[in-house]
Amino acid sequence: VAVPVAFAVRGQSANALSFENEAFLFTPPGFAQEGKPLWASGAETGQVHIVVRDAATGQVTPCRVNVVGADGHFYQPPKNRLSLYALTGSFPQPGSKGNRKGLAPFRYVGRFFYTMGESTVPVPPGAVRVEVWKGFEYRPETVSVSIAAGATRRIEVCLTRTAPMVEAGYYAGDSHLHLPRLTEEDDQVVFDLIEAEDFRYGLVLAYNEPANRYAGFMNAQQYPQSGTGARTVRTRGNYHIVSGQEYRSTTYGHLNLYLRDNLVSPGQQHITDNWPVHGEVGRETIARGGYAFMAHGGYGQEIWADAALGTVSAVELLQFGVYRGIELQGWYHMLNSGYRFAAQGASDYPPCRMLADGRTYAYAPAPPTIPEWLAAVAGGRSFFTTGPLVLLEVDGEKPGGRIRKSGSGAHTVKARLRVRCEVTPVTDIDLIVNGQVIEHRSVSRAEGQGRWIEMEREIPIAESSWIAARAYSSAPIKQPDAEAHTNPVFVYLNGRAPFQRTSLDAWIARIDRQIALHRKRDFPEQAKALAYFQRAQDVLLKIGENGGLAAEVAP
């Protein structure tokens, strides 16, 4: 049942996630204990030769694989070029990628390895189960065989794309990856990984470490790149990669920068906790034709000022399986103040649970280039997800669209919603108007996976509104599992944007806190930083004085 509060927001913040029940992710079906990653050897060892094909093409296809032995452990292939990215350890252990403990989504993933589609795995004799995944649009497959001592058994697994998002015009990407890109081999490994996880756009970022110190030299960055900007775009088939920068501060937050031709402040060094504020870096990047996405939900809290002034392009809201930083309520406040401020999802691989466990599906009428995909994300023409696929239309408009109504008569719009999840069950679906859940549907776990769930609803429009949809579920251990949210469709009545005074006041109060925080600090650029936050507050105060925004005004 929908909760009748100002914002019916369900879920946990990243800080509230439990470090318990880690074994849930690594206990294979039919076993009572967590499986370990093992490499089999010895005279009795058999082998399973696995070939995975795409059902549509018949071609061998990259994917993610678990090989579960009769003892419930996960058997690994001999070391190879993708072994570093197998889920055999836990971040930040040396050499371990992903599986950062305590993070959602909480679902069974096993101790998998990546393969280009064909691999041979030594296993102990007995029953062996092979589990195969590829992204969010393919149905996972399982094949069980028996392996005799010393024997080799060949199996073929056929993967079917049961939810082809391209047919609906949606293209998946992960805009927050940390992988090295210095050599041709590095690039091919990145392509292998994103093809195995089936997202078309991989945006790879260098970053400064520690977060409060900065040197504008690539060799001083973690996960160095061969460069940044458009010159680093590479394409392999349907897959595209580009390099950018995560510019980090312990005070202002983290800012992901795309399509800049160079690093921030090239050749210079400074303390990022002091100056410039991230909004100045974002403004410069946008002026150059690039994009600036505030990372991690804007957890440094400068985002309240940046969003008000339009100096960042979007907020990376869904990450680690939850809504971070400003969380859903903060984003809803911004939308209720009349802003068209886009949210998105991304993984932050490798310090996350797994590669592209959060991603964004952007709409485009034809397969987009990387700049076109980024423009769609910044324009809110998207949904973001850890598994559920959520297709919303309001009077035929997709997320980011605008519907205009005029006159005093009764107005309605029709919302059509389709939800499907291949990788885990969806149990709850919400249709949301101005932050209120106006319709909630509960779905059984059996019905919530591998089938389309459809809703239609006539929505009366008595005021300017934004309309969005959400799909989610929790794991049996009461931790977050599935999560997805669309950006809104906007309905403008009589030329006005949505406006709720309580939301604007809440936003102004957050900037008040930032001003108070920076007044207590002692740093050379304090006056410039305070002036920046004051400008943001002045913009919002002016909106309040005017009783909201006109529909097409950019604040």
Side-chain angles (χ1 to χ4, degrees), residues 168-170 363-364 380-382 392-402 487-490:
Y170 282 92
Y363 175 78
R381 300 188 293 276
S382 66
L392 172 68
E393 290 189 359
V394 180
D395 280 1
E397 292 287 343
K398 295 178 174 61
R402 306 173 200 179
N487 273 283
V489 176
F490 297 90

Side-chain angles (χ1 to χ4, degrees), residues 231-261:
R231 69 181 183 273
T232 67
V233 171
R234 293 285 305 277
T235 297
R236 190 177 84 180
N238 291 326
Y239 301 92
H240 312 267
I241 58 177
V242 68
S243 292
Q245 177 183 8
E246 182 178 3
Y247 179 77
R248 303 164 79 228
S249 164
T250 57
T251 297
Y252 300 125
H254 296 189
L255 189 64
N256 293 342
L257 305 170
Y258 312 100
L259 300 183
R260 282 182 62 111
D261 290 335

